[in-house]
């Protein structure tokens, strides 16, 4: 559960997630990605209150990809869930994703574009999202409808192999990770997602978009020119 300046939401996110995972053997790893608010303090309080909550923390903001990799390194389970702390995505959906993973897939990811998905966000964000996913499909041959949703579930072996090739730490991390996983021949399944937080109506950060484009261009270069991701298949 990566968290950057999520002090306001973090306790609720962890408590609600624990309720939804009741009956399962699980751990929650909070990664404080250089937050400037009270996220570290809230996280430490949660760790003291619940034995199955752990914390990875560092002072400099390094990006979601870096945070998730650090969280994975501390994890122990055979099923790994990426889940954002902002509660845009209700944690009630996690068990459904785990169930599909156990039905023979290697990775299960959420999609805003499949029938049954429920999403509220601005027209500008919708148009950018459509443009970006089209770009990813054309240049990276990645046949998934959505790379950016913050709920993803993996078999541990998939991440153990893929993370060794992932270089992006911030905006295009999901694209690079799924590109590597796809090239290794693992089976990726998509499920419609429900996203209900008002933050999807916020303005677009054009600086972040520019950095995302540059990171994506670097992935295309590594894949198609350098063949950096080539290696032993599954």
């Amino acid at each position: 559960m990566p968290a950057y300046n999520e002090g306001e939401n973090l306790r609720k996110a962890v408590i609600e997630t624990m309720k939804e995972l009741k009956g399962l053997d699980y751990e929650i790893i909070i990664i404080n990605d250089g937050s400037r608010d009270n996220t570290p303090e809230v996280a430490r309080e949660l760790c003291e209150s619940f034995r199955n909550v752990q914390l990875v923390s560092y002072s400099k903001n390094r990006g979601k990809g870096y945070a998730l990799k650090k969280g994975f390194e501390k994890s122990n389970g055979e099923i790994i869930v990426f889940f954002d702390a902002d509660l845009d995505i209700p944690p009630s959906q996690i068990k459904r994703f785990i169930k599909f993973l156990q039905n023979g897939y290697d990775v299960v990811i959420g999609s805003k574009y499949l029938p049954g998905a429920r999403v509220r966000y601005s027209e500008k964000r919708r148009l950018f999202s459509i443009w970006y996913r089209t770009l990813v499909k054309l240049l990276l041959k990645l046949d998934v409808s959505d790379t950016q949703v913050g709920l993803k579930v993996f078999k541990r072996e998939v991440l153990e192999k893929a993370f060794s090739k992932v270089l992006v730490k911030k905006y295009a991390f999901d694209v690079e990770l799924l590109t590597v996983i796809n090239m290794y021949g693992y089976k990726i399944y998509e499920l419609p997602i429900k996203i209900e937080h008002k933050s999807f109506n916020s303005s677009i950060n054009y600086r972040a978009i520019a950095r995302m484009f540059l990171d994506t261009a670097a992935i295309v270069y590594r894949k198609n020119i350098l063949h950096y991701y080539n290696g032993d298949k599954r």
Side-chain angles (χ1 to χ4, degrees):
M1 187 180 288
Y4 176 63
N5 294 341
E6 292 291 350
E8 184 178 345
N9 297 316
L10 186 57
R11 175 173 289 276
K12 183 178 180 181
V14 170
I15 298 299
E16 288 193 6
T17 301
M18 292 176 66
K19 289 179 180 178
E20 294 298 336
L21 297 180
K22 187 176 181 180
L24 300 180
D25 181 16
Y26 69 91
E27 61 182 353
I28 295 176
I29 300 174
I30 303 166
I31 309 98
N32 167 44
D33 186 23
S35 298
R36 298 177 181 178
D37 65 353
N38 65 334
T39 295
E41 290 75 19
V42 174
R44 283 192 286 269
E45 289 173 5
L46 288 164
C47 291
E48 292 171 1
S49 300
F50 305 104
R51 63 181 182 179
N52 56 346
V53 178
Q54 300 184 58
L55 173 64
V56 175
S57 187
Y58 41 87
S59 59
K60 182 180 179 180
N61 177 249
R62 296 182 178 274
K64 183 178 175 181
Y66 182 93
L68 288 168
K69 189 172 183 179
K70 287 297 178 184
F72 173 69
E73 289 171 357
K74 191 176 178 68
S75 69
N76 297 293
E78 292 303 314
I79 293 176
I80 307 296
V81 179
F82 291 175
F83 184 72
D84 290 346
D86 57 16
L87 287 179
D88 279 0
I89 300 171
S92 56
Q93 299 175 88
I94 295 175
K95 276 190 174 180
R96 178 167 61 102
F97 278 60
I98 293 175
K99 182 178 179 180
F100 272 85
L101 188 82
Q102 294 171 327
N103 286 342
Y105 296 98
D106 302 304
V107 180
V108 180
I109 64 176
S111 173
K112 301 184 292 291
Y113 303 105
L114 296 179
R118 287 190 286 166
V119 183
R120 181 183 65 199
Y121 60 147
S122 70
E123 184 67 13
K124 284 184 178 180
R125 282 182 174 268
R126 187 183 72 84
L127 291 174
F128 169 72
S129 185
I130 291 173
W131 170 82
Y132 186 67
R133 69 176 178 138
T134 302
L135 184 73
V136 167
K137 281 192 175 185
L138 288 175
L139 298 181
L140 293 170
K141 309 300 181 185
L142 183 57
D143 190 21
V144 298
S145 66
D146 199 344
T147 59
Q148 302 307 115
V149 169
L151 173 56
K152 295 180 174 68
V153 182
F154 308 82
K155 290 182 179 177
R156 184 178 193 87
E157 66 174 84
V158 176
L159 293 180
E160 285 178 341
K161 189 166 186 178
F163 263 137
S164 65
K165 290 288 188 179
V166 174
L167 299 180
V168 176
K169 298 177 176 65
K170 290 192 176 184
Y171 302 107
F173 162 78
D174 298 272
V175 171
E176 186 173 36
L177 179 63
L178 292 175
T179 295
V180 175
I181 288 171
N182 184 60
M183 289 187 68
Y184 281 151
Y186 288 105
K187 291 187 286 185
I188 302 173
Y189 189 77
E190 293 184 272
L191 285 175
I193 197 78
K194 176 184 178 184
I195 303 178
E196 58 183 22
H197 199 273
K198 63 182 180 181
S199 66
F200 264 72
N201 292 319
S202 61
S203 61
I204 292 177
N205 183 333
Y206 289 101
R207 183 177 179 181
I209 289 175
R211 182 55 192 265
M212 192 169 187
F213 175 79
L214 290 174
D215 284 348
T216 304
I219 296 167
V220 173
Y221 179 73
R222 287 194 289 271
K223 177 181 182 290
N224 296 335
I225 306 300
L226 297 181
H227 305 291
Y228 167 77
Y229 305 119
N230 291 359
D232 296 334
K233 301 296 183 181
R234 183 182 176 188

